[in-house]
Amino acid sequence: MLPGRSRASVLVFLVPPLLLYLVAVALPIVQSLVLSFFSWDGVTDLQAVGFANYVKMFTADPIFWRAFANTMVYLAVCLFFQLGVSLFVANLVSYAGRGKEVAKTLYLLPAIISTVAIAFLFQRIYSYEPPGLINQILSTVGLGDLARPWLSEVNTVLVAVSAPEGWRFTGLYMLILYAAILAVPKELEEAARLDGASTWQVFAHVRFPYIRPVWVTTMIMASTYSLRGFDIPYLLTNGGPGQASELLTTYMFKTAFRSTDFGYASTIAVFIVIECIIAVGLILLVLKRGTDNS
Amino acid sequence: MTTGLTTPVGGRVSAPERGRRLHLARNFASLLVFLIVIVQVYPLIWLFVTSLRPAQEFAGGNAFGIPAALTWDNYARAFASADLGRYIFNSLVVTGASSVLIVLLGMMAAYAIQVLGFRGSKIVMGAFLLGIIVPVQIALVPLFINYSRVGLLNTYQSMVIPLVGFALPTSVYLFVSFFEYIPKETYEAAALDGAGPFRVFFEITMPLSTNTVITVVFVNGIFIWNDFIFANTFVFEENMKTIPLGLQNFIGAMGSVDWTATFAAVCITVTPLLLVFLIMNKAIIYGLESGATKG
């Protein structure tokens, strides 16, 4: 504690940030919680409905469950890129010779492009008529039969709207993991290698345990960001065709601002928050078990 | 995970042999990285090339090959069909105001929590940390209702308030982590010289924080510049639109989709951030790396 501080000085520094945080984050959370127990279209009077919104959501709304299942697929695709591919590339970069800095910069590039621009880009990449990049490549390599309108087919649309989100942040997580790999003591790996350990063994027994804490942070970041993913599916398909690419976030947004059902939308929003908290809890739980074992 | 490097399991290898293999493996890894980077960046290169491709050629089927000719026409049409300057200006205002507030408020809160200290500071810190995992969607409906009551819809503030609020947790966290490293003696010496909490803040804490400020600005700046969800929810008047929003209705504004002009518009709006990124990439990469690994 700083000598000579006063209660007044603490307040001067603390109140402005706290006030903004309350207005922008804390109060809306409380309001959403309250609203989730009401039915309200924004015009007529609020109507208290008790737990009716929650009952409807869990028992009588197939779209909600569809959106929830879709969100899990979306999460899986994002994690494949952001945890799997990024870890692979981070390792590759650590073994590469020259050009590391350039590679890092270029690899990060998609992360600075706005989601709207990315949505435009992928609309063209997935396009069927005129043939987009993917369909052209397929027909060039003689797999023309596989060409399809990726964004309007029920079976492909969900993965198609998930992949761009995974792709654009691969570079970010690669950088973070690469920074962690740099911190692994070289002598440890060298010693293991001299003892005849293969590269895979060095990775699994020396490198990965060492970067594990950072990997868990990465996992929490990637999971919570993916669970709140909204922009690209909203812009590419707006949840369609039907509900084939509807996520909880797009469903919540439509319920609020298309159907102006603020009460039910708040119920879904509360669920999204709980979902994020559960995800973080699960990851930390698994991490704790993992470290206890090792 | 790390293909390309094969050292026989068991059995030691002679030193020169090992060196030669390491060299080979390095080259192979470099080649793979190169290929992966190409795949990663190709869509962006294509986007840029398309913005220079004649519209007829794009529509005529040659959308992905090497363009037969290059033209600036698309850029002229992009500027003619939307007020891109206005969008860029709005984005600059929102990003600038948000960044200043995120740094200033984050630093103030961290200073109160970590340096001044007070009873219950742990609880306040916990409340801020909780905000890191709260998804922004929770605030959309309440803020929309609150804004419409006080007439804040379609204003810069309507975007700045939630952007700052949701970025504040990481900002506070990064500043608190940094302030832990400033030795107590520094403050004690200043206090002996008669400096109060305000002078210490402005003359010691602030100047020492430059690196953390850079980290906080870059980590958040990219996300704020590209924010879509708050702008899309709270802003619908043309003159208040930021770049992501302006781009989105770029297509609608022209009736049929003029893809080459759209990509030209994308290129124009990406340029400011791209320039900053390429010039400052060392600092940004450092910021992103340290920002996350500290957690």
Side-chain angles (χ1 to χ4, degrees):
Chain A
M1 279 186 199
L2 192 71
R5 76 198 169 83
S6 62
R7 181 181 292 262
S9 64
V10 172
L11 289 179
V12 167
F13 284 105
L14 190 63
V15 167
L18 212 50
L19 205 63
L20 189 122
Y21 188 63
L22 286 177
V23 169
V25 182
L27 183 67
I29 293 176
V30 176
Q31 282 180 297
S32 285
L33 267 172
V34 172
L35 263 177
S36 70
F37 294 100
F38 286 85
S39 167
W40 192 39
D41 61 4
V43 184
T44 54
D45 286 340
L46 279 163
Q47 245 188 318
V49 294
F51 282 93
N53 285 330
Y54 288 93
V55 172
K56 177 185 166 196
M57 184 167 81
F58 286 123
T59 62
D61 186 358
I63 300 177
F64 168 78
W65 287 110
R66 181 73 201 262
F68 178 69
N70 287 347
T71 303
M72 291 300 119
V73 175
Y74 183 83
L75 176 67
V77 173
C78 289
L79 293 187
F80 167 76
F81 281 100
Q82 297 174 353
L83 294 178
V85 176
S86 65
L87 184 62
F88 176 73
V89 178
N91 275 291
L92 267 186
V93 172
S94 79
Y95 288 120
R98 282 175 304 152
K100 283 182 194 192
E101 295 305 314
V102 178
K104 275 158 68 180
T105 307
L106 289 178
Y107 206 64
L108 189 59
L109 217 48
I112 68 162
I113 312 286
S114 72
T115 47
V116 179
I118 285 176
F120 283 151
L121 186 62
F122 276 86
Q123 207 169 330
R124 290 297 88 200
I125 287 177
Y126 289 132
S127 167
Y128 185 65
E129 191 54 54
L133 184 61
I134 292 183
N135 288 330
Q136 282 204 353
I137 290 176
L138 282 175
S139 59
T140 313
V141 298
L143 291 169
D145 294 349
L146 288 178
R148 66 193 67 216
W150 300 94
L151 287 177
S152 36
E153 255 183 38
V154 179
N155 297 323
T156 55
V157 64
L158 184 55
V159 174
V161 298
S162 310
E165 175 78 17
W167 166 77
R168 78 189 184 108
F169 284 138
T170 310
L172 176 64
Y173 294 109
M174 186 277 278
L175 261 185
I176 293 168
L177 293 170
Y178 176 73
I181 289 173
L182 279 188
V184 179
K186 287 281 166 294
E187 309 82 56
L188 277 182
E189 298 196 346
E190 200 51 36
R193 207 164 278 137
L194 281 173
D195 285 344
S198 70
T199 305
W200 167 252
Q201 285 168 327
V202 171
F203 172 78
H205 298 294
V206 180
R207 188 175 272 193
F208 188 73
Y210 210 90
I211 65 168
R212 192 193 175 92
V214 176
W215 203 68
V216 171
T217 312
T218 316
M219 202 164 172
I220 291 176
M221 279 172 71
S223 307
T224 51
Y225 277 123
S226 304
L227 285 174
R228 64 181 89 158
F230 168 83
D231 299 9
I232 293 173
Y234 174 81
L235 291 161
L236 272 180
T237 59
N238 197 9
Q243 264 81 40
S245 60
E246 194 83 85
L247 302 184
L248 285 175
T249 49
T250 56
Y251 184 44
M252 179 250 143
F253 190 86
K254 282 191 214 168
T255 308
F257 300 107
R258 294 275 160 76
S259 328
T260 54
D261 190 346
F262 289 131
Y264 193 48
S266 300
T267 315
I268 303 171
V270 170
F271 182 84
I272 298 172
V273 174
I274 293 170
E275 185 189 53
C276 283
I277 293 172
I278 290 176
V280 174
L282 276 178
I283 294 168
L284 290 177
L285 202 74
V286 172
L287 157 84
K288 201 156 182 299
R289 246 210 342 239
T291 34
D292 289 348
N293 283 348
S294 60
Chain B
M1 273 292 147
T2 55
T3 56
L5 272 170
T6 44
T7 312
V9 182
R12 301 193 172 198
V13 193
S14 68
E17 170 71 355
R18 244 174 11 100
R20 204 178 57 82
R21 285 194 186 183
L22 207 67
H23 186 69
L24 262 177
R26 253 179 216 295
N27 284 344
F28 187 65
S30 297
L31 182 73
L32 261 182
V33 168
F34 178 74
L35 290 176
I36 291 173
V37 166
I38 296 280
V39 172
Q40 176 86 347
V41 179
Y42 173 78
L44 303 178
I45 296 171
W46 177 73
L47 192 142
F48 178 66
V49 172
T50 304
S51 75
L52 293 170
R53 194 189 289 273
Q56 307 87 312
E57 191 186 318
F58 183 85
N62 182 15
F64 295 95
I66 295 164
L70 295 177
T71 170
W72 290 102
D73 285 1
N74 303 318
Y75 284 83
R77 287 206 310 287
F79 274 112
S81 51
D83 196 350
L84 292 177
R86 182 83 214 173
Y87 303 151
I88 292 174
F89 175 78
N90 288 340
S91 279
L92 284 174
V93 171
V94 170
T95 308
S98 304
S99 300
V100 169
L101 282 173
I102 289 167
V103 165
L104 198 65
L105 294 178
M107 207 188 267
M108 285 164 71
Y111 186 72
I113 291 170
Q114 178 64 30
V115 180
L116 297 181
F118 55 92
R119 252 193 325 151
S121 62
K122 287 229 164 62
I123 298 171
V124 174
M125 186 63 193
F128 274 120
L129 286 183
L130 211 60
I132 292 181
I133 57 167
V134 173
V136 296
Q137 279 87 4
I138 191 82
L140 295 181
V141 168
L143 284 182
F144 184 84
I145 295 166
N146 299 346
Y147 285 160
S148 60
R149 281 202 183 123
V150 296
L152 270 182
L153 288 174
N154 284 309
T155 59
Y156 291 131
Q157 298 93 296
S158 71
M159 294 177 269
V160 170
I161 290 170
L163 284 170
V164 175
F166 279 90
L168 212 46
T170 31
S171 171
V172 172
Y173 175 73
L174 285 172
F175 279 115
V176 165
S177 315
F178 171 69
F179 291 168
E180 279 171 4
Y181 286 100
I182 301 182
K184 290 214 175 349
E185 293 76 33
T186 317
Y187 295 125
E188 276 156 16
L192 282 180
D193 287 348
F198 297 97
R199 257 186 66 195
V200 170
F201 182 75
F202 288 110
E203 288 176 15
I204 298 179
T205 309
M206 253 191 179
L208 281 176
S209 309
T210 322
N211 278 339
T212 312
V213 170
I214 292 173
T215 303
V216 170
V217 167
F218 283 133
V219 169
N220 294 299
I222 295 171
F223 289 97
I224 294 172
W225 179 263
N226 290 328
D227 163 67
F228 173 72
I229 194 163
F230 291 129
N232 185 45
T233 311
F234 304 133
V235 168
F236 14 89
E237 270 166 25
E238 197 56 32
N239 63 342
M240 290 305 295
K241 281 183 175 169
T242 53
I243 290 170
L245 217 50
L247 276 183
Q248 191 213 8
N249 73 336
F250 198 81
I251 286 184
M254 287 183 293
S256 67
V257 183
D258 182 348
W259 282 107
T260 49
T262 305
F263 284 146
V266 168
C267 286
I268 295 161
T269 54
V270 160
T271 308
L273 194 60
L274 194 66
L275 286 179
V276 173
F277 179 75
L278 290 179
I279 293 167
M280 308 281 300
N281 76 76
K282 282 248 166 61
I284 296 177
I285 287 177
Y286 169 80
L288 292 174
E289 284 173 352
S290 62
T293 44
K294 268 182 201 152

